[in-house]
């Protein structure tokens, strides 16, 4: 009986039946699955068998087991959430979920047209909506996330200018900075950071001027930046870069563009960001999709590594078709001759974001943006009334997110966030490790899901936690 239990397969893991595994190994000419991993150095390999639990053969029992495991987590429906910094809790309209779960979209690998039921048109409509939002005419199919999108614009700029140095604002997301350093290093081995003003959080123009040179290909900055600060001198920054033959790439929260000027209006050459705020549910930091937008000019289009969708007349008079544009640019077509690599994309999330933008329309985006500005302003003012708390840390206008400093409370962000859990509140993102110059500060996020009562509850909980 014990031997039979050992050989029982996990019914939801393909080819886990021992007899089938043995047959597969025999067919490829090896004795053990361990032989497959022979190239991995010994010092990197686990020296013991994995502690895998016994197989659960009943689908109901398996579901119950997983549900019990997940119940240990605390989610944003049970707790009041003020976390942001890259994945934000926004309202997801029911129609977005309905479209996302349609079989012709959900079951197709990256939305490809294996049995097309409007996927190409859906991609074109999504790109058209993003294009209108950022006021640029060329928009890619979503990359994995914003980090990949901004790193890709750095690589594109390097190829366009033939230069190998990139400037990056210090006021960007640490995760996106990490991706730029990792993904763009071969194109721009020299990456130099541009400081931000410690009083305003705005880009330090003097520091930018001191680091601009003839070998700079691009400056990547965010507006609003990672601290939620709205950059007010975009045109001045763009003019400085263009005077040196360099380009400007601006990362944006798409929801801000209902109230803020799009990057194209102040001279940006690239706009990029994430579609996650637009109808994509949060899922353990996921639900992401990075967009890139540029002018519809050959010098830009030729450098896109990702798929582009366009519209064209068909042989039938008055009929139109949708398809991929300049496919030979991609690594799918050019393979090792391609200028850049194209991996799996987030086309499904692009389709849903297109649905969201179509639902909202220009007026809806404007009203949403105004509401987010108002909530951030009210929340900062409310938290600043708590003794020992400074909110916002920067003397600037903020969108959706703002930095709160707790140095005056004599408590760390970690201590405060742990105590807030007792009030069923997720506090702000701890910045003390990534931005030690700010002391004990945290990034707080408010969205259209937060009511006045929610913000007041946070302020009261903070007052109780700091005990001052």
């Amino acid at each position: 009986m014990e031997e039979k239990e050992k050989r029982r397969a996990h019914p939801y893991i393909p080819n886990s039946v021992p007899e089938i595994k043995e047959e597969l190994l025999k067919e490829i000419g090896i004795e053990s699955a361990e032989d497959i991993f022979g190239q991995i150095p010994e010092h990197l390999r686990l020296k013991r068998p994995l502690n895998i639990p016994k197989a659960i053969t009943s689908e109901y029992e398996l579901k119950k087991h997983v549900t019990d495991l997940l119940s240990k987590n605390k989610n944003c429906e049970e707790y009041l959430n003020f976390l942001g910094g890259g994945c934000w809790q926004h309202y997801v309209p029911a129609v977005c979920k309905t479209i996302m779960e349609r079989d012709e979209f959900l079951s197709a690998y990256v939305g490809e047209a294996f049995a097309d039921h409007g996927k190409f048109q859906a991609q074109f409509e999504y790109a058209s909506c993003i294009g209108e939002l950022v006021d640029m005419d060329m928009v890619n199919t979503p990359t994995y996330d914003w980090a990949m999108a901004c790193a890709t614009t750095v690589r594109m700029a390097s190829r366009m200018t033939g230069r190998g140095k990139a400037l990056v604002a210090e006021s960007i997301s640490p995760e996106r900075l990490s991706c730029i350093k990792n993904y763009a290093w071969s194109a721009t081995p020299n990456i130099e950071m541009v400081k931000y003003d410690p009083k305003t959080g705005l880009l330090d123009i003097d520091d930018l001027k001191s680091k601009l040179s003839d070998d700079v290909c691009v400056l990547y900055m965010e507006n609003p930046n990672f601290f939620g600060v709205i950059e007010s001198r975009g045109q001045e920054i763009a003019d400085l870069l263009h005077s040196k033959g360099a380009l400007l790439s601006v990362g944006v929260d798409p929801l801000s563009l209902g109230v803020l000027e799009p990057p194209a209006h102040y001279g940006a050459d690239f706009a990029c960001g994430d579609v996650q705020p637009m109808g994509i549910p949060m899922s353990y930091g996921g639900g992401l999709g990075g967009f890139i937008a540029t002018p519809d000019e050959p010098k830009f289009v030729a450098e896109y590594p990702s798929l582009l969708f366009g519209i064209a007349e068909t042989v039938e008079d008055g009929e139109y078709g949708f398809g991929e544009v300049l496919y030979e640019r991609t690594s799918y077509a050019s393979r090792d001759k391609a200028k850049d690599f194209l991996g799996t994309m987030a086309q499904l999330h692009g389709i849903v974001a297109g649905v969201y933008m179509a639902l909202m329309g220009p007026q809806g985006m404007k009203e949403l943006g105004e509401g987010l500005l108002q909530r951030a302003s009210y929340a900062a003012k409310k938290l600043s009334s708590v003794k020992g708390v400074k909110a916002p840390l920067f003397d600037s206008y903020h969108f959706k997110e703002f930095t709160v400093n707790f140095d005056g409370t004599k408590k760390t962000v970690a201590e405060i966030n742990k105590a807030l859990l007792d009030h069923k509140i997720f506090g702000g993102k701890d910045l003390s490790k990534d931005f030690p110059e700010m002391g004990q500060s945290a990034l707080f996020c408010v969205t259209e899901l937060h009511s006045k009562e929610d913000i007041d509850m946070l302020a009261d909980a903070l007052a109780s936690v700091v005990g001052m």
Side-chain angles (χ1 to χ4, degrees), residues 257-279:
L257 299 180
V259 288
L260 299 184
E261 197 173 26
H265 289 193
Y266 50 83
D269 303 284
F270 304 89
C272 58
D274 209 296
V275 300
Q276 186 272 325
M278 299 189 292

Side-chain angles (χ1 to χ4, degrees), residues 412-414 429-442:
T412 66
V413 174
K429 179 177 173 61
D430 192 343
L431 302 179
S432 59
K433 181 179 179 180
D434 292 317
F435 300 95
E437 69 275 12
M438 293 184 187
Q440 290 300 316
S441 294

